[in-house]
Amino acid sequence: MEQEEKVTQQQEPVENNEVLEENDAQTDNLSEETDTQKKSGLFSKKGNKDKLKIQEMEKALENAKIEKAELNDRFLRLYSEFDNYKKRVNKEKLDLISTASEKVFVNLLPVIDDFERAIAANEKAEDAEAIKEGFVLIYNKMLQLLKRFDVEEIAAKGEPFNTDFHEAITHFPTDKEEDKGKVIDVTEKGYKIKDKVIRYSKVVVGQ
């Protein structure tokens, strides 16, 4: 009996140790499962955030593409409109120049007609005074035509030499002090349209 009790007492610690080890294993398993669940939950939240960020970035990219397409379309429209505007303005300028030239020549034709009539009449004319009078009339008519188009003769003789209106072809010594630096003779008249010089006066300047 004593031997059996000893054997039983020896077996009990062994069994207790096994139970403890089993409990420890279960505890470890539970801890591992808990850690795994925590980690999986943490990663799941992080994964959701990453997905949301990716979706937001994709949406922003799509919006940027749409905006780029709209801006590109707007640029092409503006460029096309500007190109059409340039062509229209250039055409209007050419038409204006052509029309202006046409208007001048249409008004010049009657003067040419007068010259032709005068030339034809002078072939048989014997009165020199009548010939002179005819040329004066045509000359005055020409001046009126120039005035109609705002063409004016540039004042030169007796005026101080001015490079804005005069072109000196030579300088000539003068005894008069008041004539120095002034135009003493005009070899070719100058003209301007309003304030724009269309031909400079060719002058002789006193020195």
Side-chain angles (χ1 to χ4, degrees):
M1 290 291 292
E2 291 178 358
Q3 290 179 353
E4 289 178 1
E5 288 178 359
K6 287 181 181 179
V7 170
T8 303
Q9 289 175 355
Q10 289 175 355
Q11 287 177 350
E12 284 178 359
V14 173
E15 289 176 356
N16 290 334
N17 289 335
E18 289 178 354
V19 171
L20 289 171
E21 288 177 358
E22 187 177 350
N23 288 336
D24 290 340
Q26 289 177 355
T27 302
D28 291 339
N29 289 334
L30 286 171
S31 298
E32 288 177 1
E33 287 177 2
T34 304
D35 291 341
T36 303
Q37 288 174 357
K38 286 181 179 179
K39 288 180 180 178
S40 62
L42 197 68
F43 286 129
S44 177
K45 288 180 181 178
K46 187 177 179 182
N48 289 335
K49 287 182 180 179
D50 290 342
K51 285 181 181 178
L52 287 173
K53 285 184 179 179
I54 291 170
Q55 289 175 355
E56 288 176 359
M57 291 174 67
E58 288 177 347
K59 188 175 181 180
L61 180 62
E62 187 65 27
N63 290 335
K65 287 180 179 178
I66 293 170
E67 186 177 357
K68 179 187 173 184
E70 290 176 353
L71 289 172
N72 189 49
D73 182 64
R74 192 181 304 171
F75 169 77
L76 290 174
R77 287 176 184 275
L78 288 172
Y79 181 80
S80 178
E81 288 176 5
F82 178 70
D83 190 53
N84 291 334
Y85 169 77
K86 280 201 310 182
K87 289 178 181 177
R88 186 171 63 252
V89 168
N90 289 335
K91 185 177 182 301
E92 287 175 356
K93 284 182 179 178
L94 290 173
D95 291 342
L96 183 63
I97 293 169
S98 176
T99 304
S101 301
E102 181 182 348
K103 190 176 180 181
V104 170
F105 286 113
V106 166
N107 284 273
L108 190 60
L109 292 176
V111 179
I112 294 174
D113 293 338
D114 288 342
F115 270 116
E116 290 176 348
R117 282 191 287 266
I119 292 169
N122 292 339
E123 289 180 357
K124 298 178 181 180
E126 297 179 357
D127 188 355
E129 290 299 323
I131 295 172
K132 291 178 183 179
E133 185 178 347
F135 276 109
V136 169
L137 289 173
I138 296 171
Y139 175 74
N140 289 333
K141 190 172 184 177
M142 186 68 186
L143 290 179
Q144 289 175 2
L145 174 63
L146 294 177
K147 189 175 181 180
R148 194 184 308 167
F149 288 98
D150 297 319
V151 179
E152 298 179 29
E153 180 183 339
I154 295 173
K157 193 168 183 178
E159 297 290 327
F161 177 71
N162 187 343
T163 54
D164 291 336
F165 302 105
H166 309 140
E167 180 184 343
I169 58 171
T170 187
H171 290 76
F172 194 81
T174 178
D175 296 332
K176 296 179 179 180
E177 190 68 26
E178 64 269 18
D179 287 342
K180 290 183 179 180
K182 290 185 178 180
V183 176
I184 60 175
D185 194 15
V186 179
T187 60
E188 186 176 271
K189 290 181 179 180
Y191 291 91
K192 62 180 181 177
I193 298 178
K194 295 183 178 179
D195 293 328
K196 179 179 175 58
V197 176
I198 58 175
R199 190 175 79 177
Y200 290 90
S201 300
K202 292 184 180 179
V203 299
V204 177
V205 182
Q207 65 176 10

